[in-house]
């Protein structure tokens, strides 16, 4: 057996292979460590350009990026926002922060993204926006979502926390919605450690984001410490932005590494019975933030928990997939309707796991993980 007990393979660690240290050191040495400083402006401009839009407004994490986008669009108490049931809690929490109510749509069995065929059933007179999430780096069927949004006069806010550089019909995430929220958490394809950004082509909306993210200090004119609105302190520091700028400079290279990981996993595991990969959305370029699989325990011969503990015994770290929003006690507590059936999400929650997915994985690492998976299915 090809055992490497000394070798640990973490599920995902950051990859900082460009000028991150140089830029962050410069920020430290020049004393520009708060939210003023050239790296904030340069990072915002560079990331917006990478997405193919005009405006980027940096913030301190991806959760508040979603909240900021919602607040800048005026979404609040009494409103409803349609979100996927299969997502990370931040998507729903950000809606709750505004006083609005998230309404859940089950996942599509093939792509694991929000099932666009089920969105319209969730639209009511209170619905203000649809919030697609490009799960694990795979963009949603944005043409279908756009058509629904136009028909019902809704905003589209993309939660692209997981899909930097992904594309749909030749356009990148960031350029596919009225406004898009990104996360730069340490495990993301592009990272600043903690961080986020909203991007949009709408100048006025970007201005409102800038206004709200800085406690509603007026954007122009003298500071008299009079505030017309309640805002938030969601500013990103120049130190974080320095890391971000270096990451954007390497964005295509980092994207290619994640996509190569996915290709290797598929090549090595495609013939294993009982392993199901999500399918790429038609017309999309999936950037494979995470390599997630769903098990069919009967044909695989083991259940998900057995496979995870087998991999753990070889130093291979894995993670459970998200638990659906309808299962969240916190959302029940705040009055969300969690009574519906979400069978696809439930299957993913119960049978799914993430495999190691860092940009820095070697081909040998991936083959090693796949061999351990194959032997678990045989044994
Ligand atoms: C889909 C989704 N939305 C939002 C977030 C929140 O981002 P952050 O952790 O930067 O607040 C994440 C983070 O992992 C995410 O996966």
């Amino acid at each position: 057996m090809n055992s490497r007990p000394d070798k640990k393979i973490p599920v995902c660690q950051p990859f900082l292979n460009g000028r991150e240290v140089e830029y962050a050191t410069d920020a430290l040495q020049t004393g520009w460590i708060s939210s003023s400083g050239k790296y904030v402006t340069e990072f915002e401009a560079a990331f917006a350009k990478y997405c193919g839009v005009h405006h980027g407004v940096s913030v301190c994490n991806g959760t508040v990026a979603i909240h900021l986008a919602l607040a800048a669009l005026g979404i609040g108490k009494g409103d409803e926002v349609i979100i996927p049931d299969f997502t990370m809690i931040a998507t729903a929490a950000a809606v709750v922060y505004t006083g609005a109510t998230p309404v859940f749509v089950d996942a599509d069995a093939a792509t694991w993204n929000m099932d666009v065929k089920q969105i319209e059933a969730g639209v009511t007179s209170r619905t203000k926006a649809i919030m697609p999430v490009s799960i694990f780096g795979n963009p949603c069927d944005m043409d279908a979502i756009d058509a629904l949004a136009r028909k019902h006069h809704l905003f589209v806010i993309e939660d692209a926390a997981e899909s930097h550089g992904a594309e749909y019909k030749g356009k990148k995430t960031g350029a596919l919605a009225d406004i898009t929220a990104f996360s730069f958490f340490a495990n993301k394809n592009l990272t600043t450690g903690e961080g986020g950004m909203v991007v949009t082509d709408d100048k006025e909306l970007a201005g409102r984001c800038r206004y709200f993210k800085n406690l509603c200090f007026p954007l122009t004119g003298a500071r008299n410490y009079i505030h017309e609105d309640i805002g938030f302190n969601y500013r990103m520091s120049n130190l974080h932005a320095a890391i971000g700028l270096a990451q954007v400079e390497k964005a295509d290279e980092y994207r290619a590494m994640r996509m190569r990981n996915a290709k290797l996993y598929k090549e090595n595991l495609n013939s294993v019975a009982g392993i199901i990969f999500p399918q790429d959305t038609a017309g999309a370029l999936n950037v494979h933030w995470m390599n997630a699989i769903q098990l069919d325990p009967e044909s695989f011969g083991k259940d998900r928990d057995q496979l995870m503990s087998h991999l753990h015994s070889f130093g291979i770290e894995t993670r459970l997939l998200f638990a659906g929003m309808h299962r969240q006690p916190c959302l029940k507590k705040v009055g969300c309707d969690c009574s519906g059936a979400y069978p696809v999400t439930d299957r993913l929650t119960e049978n799914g796991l993430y495999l190691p997915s860092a940009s820095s994985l070697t081909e040998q690492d991936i083959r090693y993980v796949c061999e351990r998976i194959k032997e678990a299915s045989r044994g």
Side-chain angles (χ1 to χ4, degrees), residues 47 50 163-167 172-173 182 190 255 285 287:
F47 187 67
Y50 180 68
S163 66
H164 318 69
E167 295 177 15
K172 288 209 172 73
T173 53
F182 286 93
L190 297 181
R255 179 174 83 166
L285 181 80
V287 289

Side-chain angles (χ1 to χ4, degrees), residues 51-68:
C51 295
V53 294
H54 288 101
H55 308 284
V57 180
S58 60
V59 291
C60 47
N61 61 61
T63 307
V64 303
I66 305 168
H67 179 219
L68 186 66

Side-chain angles (χ1 to χ4, degrees), residues 22-58:
E22 178 193 333
Y23 292 167
T25 305
D26 178 52
L28 279 169
Q29 285 177 340
T30 54
W32 291 99
I33 56 170
S34 78
S35 58
S36 302
K38 69 172 185 176
Y39 290 113
V40 174
T41 336
E42 287 181 23
F43 176 41
E44 288 178 343
F47 187 67
K49 187 169 174 214
Y50 180 68
C51 295
V53 294
H54 288 101
H55 308 284
V57 180
S58 60

Side-chain angles (χ1 to χ4, degrees), residues 279-292:
Q279 281 171 26
D280 294 354
T281 299
L285 181 80
N286 181 348
V287 289
H288 298 281
W289 165 57
M290 281 284 167
N291 291 284

Side-chain angles (χ1 to χ4, degrees), residues 96-268:
V96 173
Y97 298 163
T98 66
T101 304
V103 172
F104 318 132
V105 169
D106 200 7
D108 175 82
T111 65
W112 306 359
N113 279 332
M114 177 158 66
D115 183 352
V116 291
K117 296 184 297 304
Q118 297 187 46
I119 293 176
E120 198 157 26
V123 175
T124 71
S125 57
R126 294 167 157 223
T127 310
K128 287 288 181 311
I130 307 172
M131 196 185 302
V133 181
S134 22
I135 290 287
F136 308 144
N138 186 24
C140 297
D141 179 353
M142 295 306 279
D143 280 353
I145 290 171
D146 260 0
L148 280 171
R150 268 199 301 276
K151 178 172 168 194
H152 296 282
H153 310 288
L154 307 175
F155 296 115
V156 180
I157 305 161
E158 184 175 10
D159 176 351
E162 305 177 356
S163 66
H164 318 69
E167 295 177 15
Y168 175 78
K169 300 195 173 169
K171 277 187 174 179
K172 288 209 172 73
T173 53
L176 302 170
D178 295 302
I179 187 163
T180 303
F182 286 93
S183 163
F184 299 114
F185 182 63
N187 62 11
K188 297 299 188 293
N189 287 14
L190 297 181
T191 183
T192 58
E194 296 281 355
M197 200 179 296
V198 292
V199 304
T200 178
D201 250 339
D202 182 332
K203 189 176 173 193
E204 203 198 314
L205 185 55
R208 283 205 297 280
C209 290
R210 280 196 191 290
Y211 175 65
F212 279 114
K213 91 163 205 190
N214 190 21
L215 293 163
C216 295
F217 274 102
L219 293 176
T220 54
R223 267 201 178 181
N224 59 5
Y225 294 92
I226 298 294
H227 297 255
E228 297 292 337
D229 299 288
I230 295 286
F232 324 106
N233 176 356
Y234 285 169
R235 300 182 301 253
M236 172 182 270
S237 81
N238 197 47
L239 206 45
H240 289 88
I243 300 170
L245 179 64
Q247 290 267 302
V248 180
E249 287 173 353
K250 293 259 191 167
D252 284 338
E253 191 185 312
Y254 294 170
R255 179 174 83 166
M257 295 169 97
R258 298 287 183 139
M259 292 173 70
R260 179 220 50 173
N261 287 349
K263 191 164 170 276
L264 286 170
Y265 274 121
K266 280 193 186 146
E267 278 170 12
N268 281 279

